[in-house]
Structures are given as C-alpha cells and as structure tokens.
Amino acid sequence: PGLYPGGGSDDLWRLFFDDNFLTSQKEPNRAARALLGYKSLGSFVVSCVNRGTGIERPISRKEVADLIMRRQQGGDAERISREHEDQRARMEAFSKLGGQTVELDG
C-alpha cells in the first residue's frame, strides 16, 4: 500500500517475494509489514522505479529505512487505507467471478 502506480510521487516502490517460499516462513518481517500494511513473513526484495522513465533506479538502504520509518510513524496512512479498500473491492470482484483465495497461515 502506498506504493501503487496511481500515487503522487515520481517513485514507484515495489516489493518482491516468492509465494512458495513464504509458505515455509515463520519469522515475521516487521519492515515488510510496515511497507505492505499486513502480516509479512520471510525475506523481501525492495526496488524503486522512476514513473517518468519506467526504469528502476538505484536506491540506498537509507531511502528504504526512511520509507519504513515514515510508515511505522503513520505516514501515508490515508493512502494506505484507501488502497486497502481498493484491494478489498478487487478481491470481492474476484470472488464473484468464482475465484478462491488461499490463506498461508501454515
């Protein structure tokens, strides 16, 4: 959340993870939890794309740490809330089409 293509900054932050890998993870990842807004387990890879060029740009650990800290302190709360609502609506539409979700709470 707060990282979606319709945001207001030049940066599009993305987190990558392996769904199959996550099923075997038990250790909470608090940084990923702060960025995504929901329970996150295991390792994630963070990248940043420039919206204007569509090309990934170099990022520093400090930029990632600042983003995590801003989220943990309530920054972007309104945008995160809006994105959670949008995601909930998409999942409801998915369910109406007959799709089923799988919970990974091993």
Side-chain angles (χ1 to χ4, degrees):
L3 313 175
Y4 74 111
S9 78
D10 289 339
D11 294 331
L12 172 63
W13 291 91
R14 301 188 302 179
L15 274 74
F16 297 92
F17 56 92
D18 181 342
D19 291 359
N20 292 320
F21 173 75
L22 291 179
T23 61
S24 65
Q25 298 304 296
K26 305 292 183 220
E27 192 68 29
N29 183 328
R30 291 185 181 96
R33 165 69 174 92
L35 294 173
L36 294 172
Y38 49 86
K39 182 179 177 182
S40 302
L41 304 173
S43 299
F44 288 69
V45 175
V46 181
S47 75
C48 186
V49 173
N50 180 292
R51 290 179 200 276
T53 64
I55 299 172
E56 289 186 353
R57 68 168 181 83
I59 58 174
S60 69
R61 291 179 182 170
K62 182 183 182 319
E63 284 181 285
V64 175
D66 287 346
L67 182 62
I68 292 166
M69 292 300 293
R70 185 170 63 240
R71 294 297 176 85
Q72 288 177 331
Q73 294 170 355
D76 299 326
E78 184 177 306
R79 186 178 355 172
I80 292 169
S81 178
R82 184 176 61 244
E83 288 180 37
H84 275 273
E85 290 301 318
D86 292 347
Q87 176 65 17
R88 189 169 300 130
R90 285 191 296 274
M91 290 307 294
E92 286 175 9
F94 176 71
S95 294
K96 288 179 182 177
L97 293 172
Q100 297 178 350
T101 59
V102 176
E103 293 296 326
L104 299 178
D105 290 341

